[in-house]
Amino acid sequence: MRIRIEDVAAAAGVSMKTVSRVLNNEPNVREEMRERVMQAVTELQYKPNPSARSLAGQRSYSVALAYNNPSRNYMMEVQNGMLEACHASNYNLFLAAVSLGRERVADIQGLFRNFGPDGVLLIPPLTDDKLIIDELEKMGVPFACIAPKNAAGRIGVAMDETTAVLELMAKLVELGHTRIGHIKGAAAHGACRWRFDGYRKGLQNAGIEFDPELVVQGAFSFESGCAGAQELLDLRKPPTAIFAANDDMAAGVIRVARERGLNVPGDLSVCGFDDTPISRHIYPSLTTIRQPTSEMGRLATLELLARIKSPEAGRMLRVDHALVMRESTQAPSRR
Amino acid sequence: MRIRIEDVAAAAGVSMKTVSRVLNNEPNVREEMRERVMQAVTELQYKPNPSARSLAGQRSYSVALAYNNPSRNYMMEVQNGMLEACHASNYNLFLAAVSLGRERVADIQGLFRNFGPDGVLLIPPLTDDKLIIDELEKMGVPFACIAPKNAAGRIGVAMDETTAVLELMAKLVELGHTRIGHIKGAAAHGACRWRFDGYRKGLQNAGIEFDPELVVQGAFSFESGCAGAQELLDLRKPPTAIFAANDDMAAGVIRVARERGLNVPGDLSVCGFDDTPISRHIYPSLTTIRQPTSEMGRLATLELLARIKSPEAGRMLRVDHALVMRESTQAPSRR
DNA sequence: TTGTAGGCGTTATCAT
DNA sequence: ATGATAACGCCTACAA
């Protein structure tokens, strides 16, 4: 038979409520009582029933991670950070895959129909999905975002991506590059715009004229990086360096360059963004910008948990980036 | 105010229990009743309270994915498959990161203290972690495994990895390789042994004598693949082909080969195992063995859910593999 | 500081 | 086939 709080109370010779107080770290309990209770808990191996706690306490002690981000490495990093924060607070993290089509709102509704988390964690591009956001706000569910396009009134965490790219561009210019191509990310992500802005401002700072021909649309996927690279390298006057808006696309650029017999970085410098493991696993290894991805997951979760506890709490945090120079960049060769 | 089952019952002019019966697809309800109830449910937008359901029903409608597998790509694939199966059954999938040290048992205990899943999904190397397994069995919690070393009495899903490697070896031999190196995986995984067995039997089938010098220990990580490659390529008579026990390690081999100025596959053929995205993203792309990873996650979950419903149900399933020939293998060059 | 009573919203039991 | 009532195990409010 399962041990209940009542049994613990009896064993310790106190009331149920006192046991409850001890277990939940509430004030107004004498040290002696606390010890007596804890001893009984240990002896009986008492484990509170989560469902009962949730039912009586009107909350589930769980948050949902809603995702449809296709980058596995990125996802797993963020998820690990979130999980760490949740477990540290004895919160449960459960998964909610959100589909891409119009039924995605139904996915969110199903989430609450079946499970009812106390809050939701959003990752791009869901952070800017109007239907999803509206639905959550309508239901009055707290949510936190990672790198939302529109941060106004939101809580979570973001990075100054534009500045990060600015620094990268300065490096490329310093190396001597003047013809620098850019493969954009998927437009639904804020990152697409921020990184593009960094690219443009970087050119501007260096006094290099912006050439629209050197910018192609990608989608954050390896394949789109390949396609973008083909386009850029087919130009009559191809770039000597390409900045792809993430590592996966940069890996695509390197692949295409090698297929074409180009030497990276000898003939073409390549850089990415994110510092995912692939940046170290490919050859040459990739110059990129490090996001503290896991830490961002952790911090966003802490903000969400804070807001769950009190509707006033929770802010939009900023984290730092770092430029990581590796093998894929060098001065352009004279041709 | 929240709508309760009582309100639905009143609106439909039936008892609470009838509503419950309809909602849970129980028998013994007239079609007319069913329709009346469903209409009331829709009108009132009734959503059952998960905690109450769990408390009264003595189950949580959730399973935990316990993991400490370091391969992000693999994990994410498995996880996606599991999530699909869970959602299809209106089950919740929550995450449980398990640490590596001795406190890992405490992690599992904490899992049940705080959340109490109805079952647990295990991924290597946890599938063969005696402490974990013992703890779960002691608690009487159903669990399913992906690719456990010891499948006796277990439910879940596995693949015939030895046969898969045998086919791969036959291909290498057919290409003309006779000096084939192998980098083993971490010994805690069943995969380490199965793949090594395939390697040995492959040699045997081809009448090639086994040379222990050609086998080095790895750990399934990119870095261990690099180290293993260095070792093998430093041999006085280095191999003309290397079979690494997974894709990450094979990527390490390719990286090292290129650093040493070796041409892959011209000077060295390389193959991996798993068919993770990296096998397509590196250059040259990798010959490897495809596991239906996501499908395995899905199937293992279905078996677990079956067992949760009835203690008799649930089996150990087998799934098929496929050999994927890409750019990293060819006939050895005459030197 | 500690204890008592009642309710959280569902499912299970046992009648009818 | 349907319904009344009692669990389920904990927490909140209020009383002492």
Side-chain angles (χ1 to χ4, degrees):
Chain A
M1 203 44 218
R2 190 187 176 102
I3 310 283
R4 292 158 309 167
I5 202 171
E6 189 183 327
D7 306 320
V8 178
V14 299
S15 75
M16 277 168 59
K17 181 60 208 181
T18 299
V19 178
S20 174
R21 272 195 261 265
V22 171
L23 260 39
N24 294 292
N25 287 315
E26 285 173 39
N28 296 337
V29 181
R30 268 189 313 187
E31 194 48 40
E32 182 206 331
M33 284 284 146
R34 186 177 300 278
E35 279 166 19
R36 233 159 74 194
V37 169
M38 286 315 292
Q39 190 179 338
V41 165
T42 313
E43 267 171 21
L44 297 175
Q45 300 220 59
Y46 168 69
K47 293 175 194 12
N49 179 316
S51 311
R53 228 160 58 106
S54 297
L55 179 58
Q58 307 274 52
R59 79 193 111 188
S60 66
Y61 298 95
S62 68
V63 299
L65 164 51
Y67 75 97
N68 65 4
N69 186 303
S71 169
R72 296 176 182 77
N73 281 312
Y74 177 84
M75 262 299 300
M76 194 46 77
E77 284 302 309
V78 172
Q79 177 179 302
N80 284 338
M82 290 175 166
L83 190 52
E84 188 188 330
C86 282
H87 284 192
S89 304
N90 277 351
Y91 251 75
N92 188 357
L93 179 63
F94 67 78
L95 296 170
V98 175
S99 40
L100 293 167
R102 190 149 282 275
E103 70 275 20
R104 65 192 192 279
V105 174
D107 287 345
I108 291 288
Q109 286 165 343
L111 182 65
F112 285 88
R113 159 179 304 283
N114 292 318
F115 314 122
D118 296 337
V120 176
L121 290 161
L122 256 30
I123 296 184
L126 290 174
T127 43
D128 301 291
D129 189 317
K130 189 158 170 21
L131 285 178
I132 301 282
I133 301 280
D134 285 353
E135 187 65 25
L136 290 175
E137 286 181 338
K138 200 176 83 189
M139 295 192 290
V141 181
F143 60 93
C145 301
I146 301 239
K149 198 186 269 190
N150 178 358
R154 300 275 173 77
I155 67 171
V157 54
M159 211 183 79
D160 191 343
E161 307 197 4
T162 301
T163 301
V165 174
L166 219 46
E167 290 172 18
L168 175 65
M169 290 295 287
K171 272 285 183 197
L172 289 176
V173 169
E174 188 186 316
L175 287 171
H177 293 277
T178 54
R179 205 157 165 75
I180 305 172
H182 176 50
I183 304 178
K184 295 175 80 172
H189 295 59
C192 169
R193 183 53 184 268
W194 299 324
R195 296 172 195 183
F196 177 56
D197 284 350
Y199 168 78
R200 287 200 66 157
K201 284 194 194 159
L203 293 178
Q204 196 178 318
N205 285 356
I208 301 171
E209 199 183 347
F210 172 70
D211 181 351
E213 180 175 85
L214 285 174
V215 176
V216 302
Q217 182 68 51
F220 285 137
S221 69
F222 176 80
E223 289 72 19
S224 70
C226 293
Q230 298 287 16
E231 219 176 304
L232 289 173
L233 296 174
D234 277 342
L235 290 176
R236 254 173 317 162
K237 234 187 128 189
T240 60
I242 294 180
F243 161 52
N246 77 350
D247 288 349
D248 283 354
M249 292 198 294
V253 173
I254 288 182
R255 152 119 213 152
V256 165
R258 304 216 47 222
E259 279 172 355
R260 286 170 166 245
L262 291 176
N263 179 19
V264 175
D267 302 321
L268 180 72
S269 285
V270 178
C271 24
F273 199 114
D274 283 345
D275 194 34
T276 47
I278 196 171
S279 62
R280 271 163 287 128
H281 293 358
I282 57 177
Y283 185 90
S285 60
L286 199 58
T287 289
T288 188
I289 290 158
R290 175 176 302 152
Q291 292 201 70
T293 318
S294 167
E295 180 68 2
M296 289 171 81
R298 200 178 69 82
L299 292 173
T301 307
L302 291 180
E303 294 306 303
L304 177 62
L305 294 178
R307 167 145 301 182
I308 287 171
K309 284 208 189 82
S310 105
E312 314 297 309
R315 305 186 310 121
M316 178 59 69
L317 304 178
R318 294 261 147 203
V319 291
D320 281 338
H321 59 267
L323 199 53
V324 184
M325 302 301 292
R326 293 210 184 87
E327 302 163 343
S328 66
T329 42
Q330 70 172 47
S333 58
R334 308 227 156 262
R335 279 189 270 195
Chain B
M1 205 43 219
R2 189 183 179 104
I3 309 285
R4 292 160 307 170
I5 202 171
E6 190 182 328
D7 305 321
V8 178
V14 299
S15 75
M16 279 166 55
K17 181 63 205 178
T18 300
V19 177
S20 176
R21 273 194 262 264
V22 171
L23 260 39
N24 294 293
N25 287 317
E26 285 173 37
N28 296 337
V29 181
R30 268 186 313 184
E31 192 49 40
E32 182 205 330
M33 285 282 144
R34 188 176 298 279
E35 278 165 19
R36 233 161 70 194
V37 168
M38 285 316 291
Q39 191 180 338
V41 165
T42 312
E43 267 171 20
L44 296 176
Q45 300 220 60
Y46 167 70
K47 293 173 193 21
N49 178 316
S51 310
R53 226 159 62 108
S54 297
L55 178 59
Q58 309 273 50
R59 79 196 107 177
S60 67
Y61 299 96
S62 66
V63 300
L65 164 51
Y67 75 96
N68 64 5
N69 188 301
S71 169
R72 297 176 184 78
N73 281 313
Y74 178 84
M75 263 297 302
M76 194 46 75
E77 284 304 308
V78 172
Q79 177 178 302
N80 284 338
M82 290 175 166
L83 190 52
E84 188 187 330
C86 282
H87 284 193
S89 303
N90 277 351
Y91 252 74
N92 189 358
L93 178 63
F94 67 78
L95 296 170
V98 175
S99 40
L100 294 167
R102 190 151 280 277
E103 71 274 20
R104 64 193 192 277
V105 174
D107 287 346
I108 291 288
Q109 287 165 342
L111 183 65
F112 284 86
R113 161 180 301 284
N114 293 316
F115 316 122
D118 296 338
V120 176
L121 291 160
L122 256 29
I123 298 185
L126 290 175
T127 43
D128 302 293
D129 189 318
K130 190 158 169 20
L131 286 177
I132 301 282
I133 301 280
D134 285 353
E135 186 65 25
L136 291 175
E137 285 180 338
K138 201 176 82 190
M139 295 192 289
V141 181
F143 61 93
C145 300
I146 301 242
K149 196 186 268 189
N150 178 358
R154 300 276 173 79
I155 66 171
V157 54
M159 212 182 80
D160 192 342
E161 306 198 5
T162 301
T163 302
V165 174
L166 220 47
E167 291 173 18
L168 175 65
M169 290 295 288
K171 271 286 181 195
L172 289 176
V173 169
E174 187 187 317
L175 286 172
H177 293 277
T178 54
R179 202 151 169 79
I180 303 174
H182 177 48
I183 304 178
K184 295 176 80 170
H189 295 59
C192 170
R193 184 52 183 268
W194 298 324
R195 295 172 196 183
F196 176 56
D197 283 350
Y199 168 77
R200 287 200 67 155
K201 283 193 193 157
L203 293 177
Q204 196 179 318
N205 285 358
I208 301 173
E209 197 184 346
F210 172 69
D211 181 351
E213 178 174 270
L214 285 174
V215 176
V216 301
Q217 182 68 51
F220 284 138
S221 67
F222 176 79
E223 289 72 20
S224 70
C226 293
Q230 299 286 16
E231 219 176 307
L232 289 173
L233 295 174
D234 277 342
L235 291 175
R236 252 170 321 162
K237 236 187 128 190
T240 61
I242 294 178
F243 161 52
N246 77 349
D247 288 349
D248 283 354
M249 292 198 294
V253 174
I254 288 183
R255 151 119 214 151
V256 165
R258 303 217 47 224
E259 278 173 355
R260 288 170 164 246
L262 291 175
N263 180 18
V264 176
D267 303 320
L268 179 72
S269 285
V270 178
C271 23
F273 199 113
D274 283 347
D275 195 35
T276 48
I278 197 171
S279 63
R280 273 162 287 127
H281 292 358
I282 57 178
Y283 186 90
S285 60
L286 200 60
T287 288
T288 188
I289 290 159
R290 175 175 303 152
Q291 292 201 68
T293 318
S294 165
E295 180 68 3
M296 288 170 80
R298 198 178 71 81
L299 291 173
T301 306
L302 291 179
E303 294 307 303
L304 178 62
L305 294 178
R307 168 144 301 183
I308 288 171
K309 284 207 189 80
S310 105
E312 314 298 308
R315 306 185 307 121
M316 179 58 71
L317 304 178
R318 294 259 149 207
V319 292
D320 281 337
H321 59 267
L323 200 52
V324 184
M325 302 301 291
R326 293 211 183 86
E327 301 162 345
S328 65
T329 42
Q330 71 171 43
S333 57
R334 309 228 156 262
R335 278 191 272 196

